[in-house]
C-alpha cells in the first residue's frame, strides 16, 4: 500500500488506509492527533507477487505530543478499575456514550489483549527445548502466562491450550482468559468429506460451505452440548465458531456449479433465485452480494443458536472474517445480527482502514476485535517467505508496527481489543504444517521459547497504557485548547454540503488554523473529508470535497485567526427532517452545535439542501418549503441562543429542473428570513451522476460562502 509522504518533522501526520471510493487520497486514521512520525521500512505481502520494500509512516506511543506513559490500576483480568458497572459474573459488551467496551465479570471496563496459538510448537527443535526448559506442560504454562501478564497480555485466542488453561486457572491468583475455537463448519466438513487444506484455512468444494445441509444444524447442536460444562466459567471470554470461512460474492455461482444437483447447497441457491424471479443470465454483483449475506445469515443463525442454547453466559465472537468477506456489507450485517463481537483477521494494510471500520460499525452495529495480525522481522534469522503479514527489518520495527496498528485500533470507538498472531515462530524444519506457517517470524518467542526483548518492551508499553491512551485520544489537545475560544461555522444540509467530489492529494493535508468538531465534542486539526464526524452522515467512503473546505480556508486566510467548523449534513435528507425540534436531523445538529459552543462562538450557518424536496415543493410554488426553512432557522437561532446568527443558503446546481428552486427559494431568501443571504451556483459543474458538484465546483461554492460570511462579520463591526 502506498504512503502519503510528508516530512518527519511535521507534528501531526496522516495514517495510511485504503482509498476512499472515487478518491485518489488516503483517509487519515489518526486524524487530529498531534505526533512526530517515524518511517519504518517494510515489505507488504500480496498473494503471488514479490513486493518491493517501502517506507511507511508510523505512530508510536513515545512520539504522541503531550502524552506521558502511565498505566492504570487494573483488575485481575487486566481491566480498568477507575469506573465500575454492574457485575454480572461473565464478560459482556456495552456501549457507553460513543464507545463500546467489554465489561469483565466484576463490572470493570476491559480491552481484550490476547495472544493466538498459545501452545508449544511440535517440531523436533521445539520438543528438545521444551524438555530442557520446562519438562512438563504445567511448568510451561505457569512460566509463560506469568511472563505474558507482565507484558500486558490477559488471555489467549484461537488454537491455544484451553484445557491446560482451565487447570491453571483453578489455582492462579491472576486467571487467564481463553477463547476456544469450536470449528463447527470445519468439523462438519471433515465428517461430510470434500474439504482440503489451504494456506491459513480450510477449502470447500467451489469454496461453498455446507451450511444448507440439514445435518449441519444437528451436528452443531450435538457438538455444542459439550459447552454446558463451561457455562459457569467466569474466566472463559467467549467462543469462535470457525476460522476464515469462504463467504463472498463467488458463493452464488459456486453453489450453482456444484456437480451434484441434489446437493442441498445447489438446491438452496436455485430456490433463492427462483423466489426472486432471477434467471442465471441476469445475476449481477448486487445479487451476488445479497446471496453472500444470505449464506452468512444462515450460518450465523445456526451456530449462534447452538452456542447460546448450551452456554448463554458467554460471548459469541463470530467466525474470524478475512479477505473480501470483511469488506462485504451483507456479510457484516449478518454477523452483527448474531455475534456479540465481530471478529476480523486483518492483513494487507499497514494501518487499519477507517473506511472498513466505518463499514463494520454501521452495518454490524456491534463492537469488533482484530483476531489476527502480525509483522515478521528479518533479524529473527527466519526467511519469512510464508504468511500474509508485512516484513520489517528488526524486532524494534516489529514493536513499532504493533504500536502503530494498535494505536489506530484504540482510536476507533468500536474496537474492544485484539489477538496478536502468534505465540511462537514457525520452525522451517517442522513437518506437516499449514502452508502459511512454514518459516516466518510471527511469534513473540523463537523456537527456543525465548522472548524477543526489543519487541516485548514496545508491546508492553502499548498494552500497559491502553486505557490512558484511550483517554488521551478522546481528550482535546492542549495545543488546540490554546487556540480557543474559536469563531465557529456550522455547515448543514444534504450531500452537496457533505461533498462527493474526489479529494485531490494536494488538498488532503491539515488545514492551517482550522479545527473540526469531532465525535467527542472536541476540536481537532481539520482535514478532509470534513464530514467524517457527522452523527447523521452516510458511509465514510462516499464523503468528498465539501464547500466548507474552501470556505474555511479563505476565512482563515482573511481573518488570520483560529476557526472552528461543525459539519453535520446528511445526503438525501429532506427539509422534513430538519425544520424543527423532534426531527432527527435537527436534534442531531443542535446536539453537536451546543458542544461546539463550549469552545467558542457561532458566527454563521452555511446551508445547501433542497434537491430531495424540489419536485414535490413545486406543487404549491415552494411556499411550504420556504415556511419550513424559515421555521428551521428561527428554531436554530432560538435553541442556540443566537437570535441574529447569519444564515447563508447555496443554490442547487444549474440543472434545468432546479431553476425555479434557485429563483424562488434561494435568491429570495432575504424576503422571508432575516439576516440571511445566498450564494450562486453559476458556472458550477456536476459529476457524472448529474447530482453532485465536482471538487472544483464545491471549492468555488466554498469561496462564495466565505465572501458572504465576511460580509456579515463586517456588518457587525
Amino acid at each position: 500500500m502506498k504512503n502519503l509522504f510528508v516530512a518527519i518533522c511535521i507534528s501531526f501526520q496522516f495514517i495510511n488506509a485504503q482509498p476512499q471510493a472515487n478518491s485518489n487520497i488516503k483517509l487519515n486514521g489518526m486524524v487530529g492527533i498531534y505526533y512526530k512520525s517515524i518511517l519504518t521500512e517494510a515489505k507488504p505481502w500480496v498473494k503471488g507477487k514479490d513486493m518491493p520494500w517501502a517506507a511507511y509512516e508510523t505512530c508510536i506511543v513515545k512520539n504522541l505530543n503531550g502524552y506521558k506513559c502511565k498505566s492504570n490500576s487494573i483488575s485481575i483480568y487486566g481491566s480498568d478499575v477507575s469506573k465500575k458497572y454492574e457485575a454480572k459474573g461473565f464478560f459482556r459488551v456495552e456501549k457507553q456514550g460513543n464507545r463500546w467496551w467489554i465489561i469483565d465479570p466484576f463490572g470493570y471496563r476491559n480491552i481484550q489483549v490476547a495472544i493466538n496459538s498459545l501452545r508449544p510448537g511440535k517440531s523436533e527443535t521445539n520438543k528438545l527445548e521444551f524438555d530442557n526448559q520446562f519438562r512438563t506442560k504445567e511448568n510451561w504454562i505457569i512460566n509463560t502466562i506469568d511472563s505474558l501478564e507482565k507484558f500486558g497480555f490477559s488471555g489467549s485466542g484461537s488454537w491455544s491450550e484451553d484445557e491446560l488453561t482451565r487447570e491453571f486457572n483453578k489455582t492462579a491468583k491472576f486467571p487467564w482468559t481463553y477463547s476456544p475455537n469450536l470449528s463447527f463448519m470445519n468439523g462438519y466438513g471433515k465428517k461430510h468429506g470434500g474439504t482440503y487444506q489451504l494456506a491459513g484455512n480450510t477449502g470447500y468444494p467451489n469454496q461453498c460451505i455446507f451450511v444448507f445441509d440439514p445435518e449441519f444444524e444437528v451436528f452443531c447442536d450435538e457438538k455444542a452440548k459439550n459447552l454446558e460444562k463451561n457455562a459457569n466459567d467466569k474466566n472463559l471470554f467467549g467462543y469462535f465458531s470457525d476460522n476464515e470461512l469462504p463467504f463472498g460474492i463467488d458463493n452464488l455461482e459456486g453453489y450453482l456449479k456444484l456437480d451434484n444437483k441434489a446437493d442441498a447447497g445447489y438446491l438452496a441457491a436455485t430456490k433463492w433465485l427462483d423466489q426472486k424471479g432471477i434467471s442465471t443470465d441476469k445475476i449481477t454483483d448486487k445479487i451476488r452480494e445479497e446471496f453472500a449475506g444470505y449464506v452468512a445469515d444462515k450460518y450465523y443463525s445456526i451456530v449462534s443458536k447452538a452456542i447460546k442454547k448450551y452456554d448463554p453466559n458467554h460471548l459469541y465472537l463470530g467466525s474470524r472474517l478475512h479477505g473480501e468477506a470483511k469488506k462485504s456489507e451483507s456479510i457484516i450485517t449478518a454477523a452483527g445480527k448474531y455475534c456479540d463481537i465481530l471478529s476480523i483477521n486483518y492483513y494487507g494494510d499497514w494501518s487499519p482502514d477507517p473506511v472498513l471500520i466505518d463499514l463494520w460499525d454501521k452495518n454490524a452495529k456491534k463492537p469488533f476485535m482484530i483476531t489476527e495480525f502480525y509483522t515478521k522481522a528479518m533479524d529473527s534469522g527466519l526467511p519469512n517467505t510464508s504468511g500474509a503479514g508485512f516484513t520489517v527489518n528488526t524486532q524494534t520495527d516489529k514493536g513499532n508496527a504493533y504500536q502503530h496498528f494498535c494505536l489506530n485500533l484504540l482510536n476507533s470507538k468500536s474496537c474492544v481489543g485484539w489477538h496478536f498472531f502468534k505465540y511462537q515462530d514457525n520452525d522451517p524444519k517442522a513437518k506437516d504444517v499449514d502452508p502459511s506457517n512454514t518459516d516466518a517470524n510471527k511469534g513473540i518467542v523463537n523456537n527456543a521459547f525465548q522472548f524477543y526483548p526489543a519487541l516485548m518492551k514496545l508491546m508492553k508499553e502499548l498494552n500497559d497504557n491502553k486505557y490512558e491512551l484511550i483517554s488521551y485520544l478522546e481528550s482535546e489537545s492542549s495545543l488546540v485548547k490554546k487556540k480557543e475560544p474559536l469563531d465557529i461555522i456550522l455547515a448543514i444540509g444534504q450531500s452537496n454540503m457533505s461533498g462527493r467530489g474526489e479529494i485531490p492529494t494536494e488538498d488532503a493535508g491539515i488545514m492551517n488554523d482550522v479545527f473540526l468538531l469531532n465525535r467527542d465534542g472536541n476540536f481537532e486539526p481539520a482535514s478532509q473529508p470534513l464530514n467524517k464526524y457527522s452523527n447523521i452522515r452516510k458511509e465514510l467512503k462516499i464523503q468528498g470535497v465539501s464547500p466548507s473546505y474552501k470556505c474555511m480556508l479563505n476565512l482563515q486566510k482573511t481573518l488570520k485567526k483560529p476557526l472552528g467548523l461543525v459539519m453535520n449534513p446528511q445526503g438525501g435528507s429532506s427539509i422534513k427532517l430538519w425544520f424543527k425540534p423532534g426531527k432527527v436531523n435537527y436534534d442531531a445538529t443542535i446536539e453537536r452545535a451546543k458542544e461546539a459552543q463550549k469552545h467558542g462562538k457561532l458566527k454563521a450557518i452555511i446551508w445547501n439542501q433542497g434537491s430531495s424536496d424540489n419536485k414535490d415543493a413545486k406543487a404549491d410554488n415552494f411556499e411550504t418549503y420556504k415556511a419550513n426553512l424559515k421555521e428551521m432557522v428561527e428554531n436554530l437561532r432560538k435553541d442556540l441562543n443566537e437570535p441574529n446568527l447569519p444564515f447563508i443558503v447555496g443554490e442547487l446546481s444549474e440543472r434545468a429542473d432546479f431553476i425555479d428552486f434557485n429563483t424562488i427559494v434561494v435568491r429570495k431568501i432575504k424576503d422571508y428570513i432575516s439576516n440571511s443571504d445566498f450564494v450562486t451556483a453559476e458556472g458550477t459543474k456536476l459529476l457524472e451522476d448529474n447530482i453532485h458538484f465536482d471538487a472544483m465546483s464545491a471549492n468555488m461554492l466554498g469561496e462564495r460562502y466565505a465572501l458572504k460570511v465576511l460580509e456579515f462579520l463586517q456588518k457587525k463591526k
Side-chain angles (χ1 to χ4, degrees), residues 26 85 135 510 545 548:
K26 305 293 183 183
Y85 298 86
R135 301 182 67 84
I510 297 295
V545 177
S548 60

Side-chain angles (χ1 to χ4, degrees), residues 541-553:
K541 67 182 179 182
I542 65 174
Q543 308 301 318
V545 177
S546 167
S548 60
Y549 175 67
K550 279 292 184 181
C551 175
M552 299 304 295
L553 284 181

Side-chain angles (χ1 to χ4, degrees), residues 166-228:
R166 279 191 277 266
E167 288 300 313
F168 168 85
N169 284 336
K170 289 179 180 179
T171 56
K173 182 179 180 181
F174 295 97
W176 187 251
T177 66
Y178 64 105
S179 304
N181 195 317
L182 304 176
S183 296
F184 281 125
M185 184 57 69
N186 186 44
Y188 179 74
K190 291 177 180 178
K191 177 182 177 182
H192 178 283
T195 60
Y196 51 96
Q197 181 65 55
L198 291 173
N201 49 57
T202 299
Y204 296 83
N206 291 350
Q207 285 296 70
C208 294
I209 60 175
F210 309 119
V211 72
F212 297 107
D213 287 16
E215 295 85 358
F216 176 63
E217 186 165 4
V218 176
F219 175 88
C220 291
D221 186 83
E222 191 65 30
K223 185 178 178 67
K225 288 179 180 178
N226 294 323
L227 306 183
E228 285 183 317

